[in-house]
C-alpha cells in the first residue's frame, strides 16, 4: 500500500532541514547538496518541457531562430548537474554517464562524491515519454587535504549516504532517501517549488506487473524465460496473468513499480552479457530507494547494494521491485541455473 502521510504543505527545503535535524552532528552540507540537486532538476524539467518547442525552433546541434546553439538534452542536463554541484564547495568528484572519467571539481577537498545519470531514457525524449535524472551520493574516505582516490570512488551501494531521482512525466517529481525512508515531492511549476507529496512511501509486497524488454526473449537465460512464461500464466494463486508494462526509461519504470508493485528487470542478454544498466548511477540509487520502500533489488543472485564495483561505468543485470515478485524470479533463475550460460 502507498502511504500518503502528508497533512500540510511542506517544501523540499523545509523537509531537507527537518531531516537534517534527525542526524546528530550534521553540518548541513548534505542538505545543501540535496537542495542544489533539486535546483538542477527544476532547470532540467523546464528544458524538458520546452523540448518540443525547441525542435520547432531548431534541431539539436543546429542553431535556432535566435542564433543560439541547440544542445542535446542529455548534454544540457549533464552541464546543469555539474553547475549545480559546484555551487557550494561540497563535492570533490562528480561521476557521470556522460563523462568517460570522473570529473574532479574545483573544491577537490569537498566531502562528497556524486554519481549521476543526468538524463535517463534519452530515446524517449523525441516521443514525449517520461524521462528522468538519477543520482547517488557517497562520503569520501580519504583525508580532505588529499585528492580523492580509487577507494573513494569505488564504494559499494551499501555506503550511499543518499540516492534519488527526478522524473519528468505528467508532472515533475523528485524522490530521495538518506536511509530514513523515501520522500517524494511534486513540482508546482507555477511557483517553481517542490512540495512533499508522499512521505515514508512503502511499496506493495507483491504486485501484478512485470516490466522487461521482451524483444530479447530468445537471448535470455532459461530460468528467466521460464519466469516470464510464469508471469503470463493464469494458474498462479491470483488466477490471473500479470500485466506487462515497459516504458524504456528505467526511472519511469521503477517509479511505477514502487507505486503499483511488481517487478522491473533488465537482464543479461546476448547483446549485453553483463546487463545494460549501470551499477553506480542507475542501479545503486534506485536499489537504495526500493529497499527503503520495503522492496528488493538483486542481480538475480546477489543484492545490488552488496556488489563491489570495479569500474565507474560497469553494468549489472537487475531484478528490482516488490519483495515477493523478486524472490519469485530469483527462484526460477536458481532452478534453471545449470542450463544458464549468459554472463557466467
Ligand atoms: P540512458 O538514456 O541513460 O542511456 O538509459 C537508457 C536505459 C534505461 O533508462 C532503460 O531502462 C533502458 O535503457 C532501455 O533499454 P532497451 O531499449 O534495451 O530496453
Ligand atoms: Mn540511464
Ligand atoms: Mn542517461
Amino acid at each position: 500500500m502507498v502511504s500518503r502521510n502528508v497533512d500540510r504543505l511542506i517544501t523540499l527545503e523545509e523537509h531537507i532541514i527537518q531531516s537534517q535535524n534527525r542526524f546528530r552532528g550534521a553540518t548541513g552540507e548534505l542538505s545543501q547538496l540535496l537542495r542544489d540537486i533539486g535546483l538542477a532538476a527544476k532547470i532540467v524539467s523546464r528544458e524538458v518541457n520546452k523540448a518540443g518547442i525547441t525542435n520547432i525552433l531548431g534541431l539539436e546541434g543546429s542553431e535556432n531562430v535566435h542564433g543560439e546553439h541547440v544542445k542535446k538534452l542529455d548534454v544540457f542536463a549533464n552541464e546543469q548537474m555539474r553547475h549545480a554541484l559546484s555551487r557550494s564547495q561540497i563535492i570533490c568528484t562528480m561521476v557521470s554517464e556522460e563523462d568517460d572519467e570522473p570529473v574532479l571539481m574545483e573544491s577537490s577537498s569537498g566531502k562528497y562524491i556524486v554519481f549521476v545519470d543526468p538524463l535517463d531514457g534519452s530515446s524517449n525524449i523525441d516521443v514525449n515519454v517520461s524521462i528522468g535524472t538519477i543520482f547517488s551520493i557517497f562520503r569520501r574516505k580519504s583525508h580532505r587535504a588529499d585528492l580523492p582516490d580509487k577507494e573513494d570512488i569505488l564504494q559499494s551501494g551499501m555506503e550511499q549516504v543518499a540516492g534519488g531521482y527526478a522524473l519528468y512525466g505528467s508532472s515533475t517529481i523528485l524522490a530521495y532517501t538518506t536511509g530514513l525512508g523515501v520522500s517524494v515531492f511534486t513540482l508546482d511549476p507555477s511557483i517553481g517549488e517542490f512540495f512533499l507529496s508522499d512521505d515514508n512511501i512503502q511499496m506493495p509486497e507483491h504486485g501484478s506487473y512485470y516490466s522487461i524488454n521482451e524483444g530479447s526473449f530468445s537471448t535470455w537465460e532459461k530460468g528467466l524465460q521460464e519466469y516470464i512464461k510464469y508471469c503470463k500464466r493464469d494458474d498462479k494463486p491470483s488466477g490471473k496473468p500479470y500485466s506487462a508494462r515497459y516504458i524504456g526509461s528505467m526511472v519511469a519504470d521503477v517509479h511505477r513499480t514502487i507505486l503499483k508493485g511488481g517487478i522491473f528487470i533488465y537482464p543479461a542478454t546476448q547483446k549485453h552479457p553483463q546487463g545494460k544498466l549501470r551499477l553506480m548511477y542507475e542501479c545503486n540509487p534506485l536499489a537504495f530507494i526500493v529497499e527503503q520502500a520495503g522492496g528488493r533489488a538483486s542481480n538475480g543472485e546477489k543484492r545490488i547494494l552488496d556488489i563491489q564495483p570495479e569500474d565507474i561505468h560497469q553494468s549489472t543485470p537487475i531484478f528490482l521491485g516488490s519483495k515477493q515478485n523478486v524472490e519469485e524470479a530469483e527462484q526460477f533463475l536458481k532452478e534453471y541455473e545449470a542450463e544458464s550460460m549468459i554472463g557466467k
Side-chain angles (χ1 to χ4, degrees):
M1 276 296 291
V2 173
S3 51
R4 296 178 185 266
N5 309 327
V6 183
D7 50 13
R8 70 176 184 89
L9 282 182
I10 300 174
T11 67
L12 176 64
E13 298 252 340
E14 274 180 288
H15 189 269
I16 288 172
I17 290 167
Q18 283 171 13
S19 315
Q20 176 192 322
N21 294 338
R22 287 155 75 185
F23 284 102
R24 279 169 93 225
T27 59
E29 288 175 301
L30 180 62
S31 302
Q32 181 60 44
L33 175 49
L34 290 168
R35 290 202 293 263
D36 292 342
I37 291 175
L39 175 63
K42 282 195 252 184
I43 296 172
V44 175
S45 175
R46 185 191 60 194
E47 211 62 20
V48 166
N49 290 326
K50 280 194 335 204
I53 198 82
T54 310
N55 274 336
I56 292 169
L57 298 177
L59 292 168
E60 292 160 356
S62 70
E63 286 196 349
N64 65 19
V65 288
H66 308 294
E68 299 156 341
H69 191 69
V70 181
K71 282 200 183 107
K72 283 192 73 183
L73 210 49
D74 30 20
V75 176
F76 174 85
N78 195 39
E79 282 175 7
Q80 288 308 320
M81 285 306 291
R82 194 179 309 166
H83 288 157
L85 297 178
S86 51
R87 277 164 57 86
S88 42
Q89 309 283 299
I90 304 169
I91 310 292
C92 58
T93 307
M94 167 175 150
V95 179
S96 165
E97 185 194 27
E98 298 298 324
D99 301 310
D100 291 343
E101 298 294 330
V103 176
L104 189 66
M105 309 295 265
E106 249 175 71
S107 47
S108 56
S109 62
K111 186 164 151 192
Y112 293 104
I113 293 153
V114 177
F115 286 79
V116 59
D117 178 357
L119 221 285
D120 175 65
S122 17
S123 67
N124 278 327
I125 299 171
D126 293 344
V127 289
N128 236 327
V129 170
S130 300
I131 50 183
T133 297
I134 314 174
F135 62 91
S136 165
I137 304 175
F138 293 88
R139 193 175 286 113
R140 71 185 289 173
K141 290 174 177 261
S142 57
H143 194 274
R144 293 175 74 162
D146 299 328
L147 286 181
D149 58 27
K150 201 172 151 213
E151 274 168 32
D152 292 322
I153 292 168
L154 297 179
Q155 300 188 48
S156 75
M158 265 303 286
E159 298 185 85
Q160 289 174 99
V161 293
Y165 59 88
L167 173 63
Y168 315 110
S170 50
S171 57
T172 291
I173 64 125
L174 183 93
Y176 81 90
T177 183
T178 52
L180 297 173
V182 182
S183 308
V184 184
F185 302 82
T186 304
L187 181 66
D188 179 340
S190 64
I191 53 170
E193 192 77 73
F194 277 112
F195 289 106
L196 185 62
S197 41
D198 283 299
D199 208 7
N200 206 8
I201 199 165
Q202 285 295 304
M203 60 194 295
E205 286 232 333
H206 187 267
S208 52
Y209 291 102
Y210 73 98
S211 185
I212 187 166
N213 183 345
E214 226 170 318
S216 25
F217 183 94
S218 65
T219 78
W220 299 340
E221 62 183 285
K222 174 94 170 128
L224 178 59
Q225 292 179 332
E226 292 303 318
Y227 174 63
I228 296 300
K229 285 186 201 163
Y230 165 81
C231 291
K232 297 176 181 187
R233 291 207 315 250
D234 55 13
D235 58 347
K236 52 169 82 65
S238 65
K240 286 189 228 147
Y242 296 159
S243 290
R245 294 283 187 279
Y246 190 71
I247 297 167
S249 298
M250 180 191 198
V251 72
D253 280 313
V254 171
H255 184 66
R256 182 202 55 251
T257 305
I258 293 170
L259 295 184
K260 305 273 186 199
I263 187 165
F264 167 80
I265 305 172
Y266 206 108
T269 63
Q270 220 155 47
K271 188 169 166 206
H272 301 288
Q274 301 303 325
K276 174 184 175 192
L277 299 178
R278 311 300 177 134
L279 174 65
M280 301 301 282
Y281 41 79
E282 294 182 315
C283 299
N284 268 341
L286 296 179
F288 190 17
I289 294 258
V290 161
E291 284 199 3
Q292 284 290 311
R296 183 175 172 95
S298 79
N299 66 0
E301 287 172 2
K302 184 175 176 178
R303 192 175 169 220
I304 291 289
L305 298 183
D306 284 338
I307 298 175
Q308 176 55 50
E310 283 162 14
D311 183 89
I312 54 171
H313 294 296
Q314 85 186 54
S315 52
T316 173
I318 187 164
F319 297 74
L320 160 161
S322 294
K323 213 163 164 281
Q324 289 175 15
N325 297 65
V326 175
E327 282 168 358
E328 227 168 46
E330 285 167 350
Q331 271 167 23
F332 273 88
L333 299 183
K334 209 167 171 21
E335 198 177 322
Y336 292 89
E337 207 173 15
E339 295 171 55
S340 146
M341 299 296 291
I342 304 169
K344 303 274 154 65

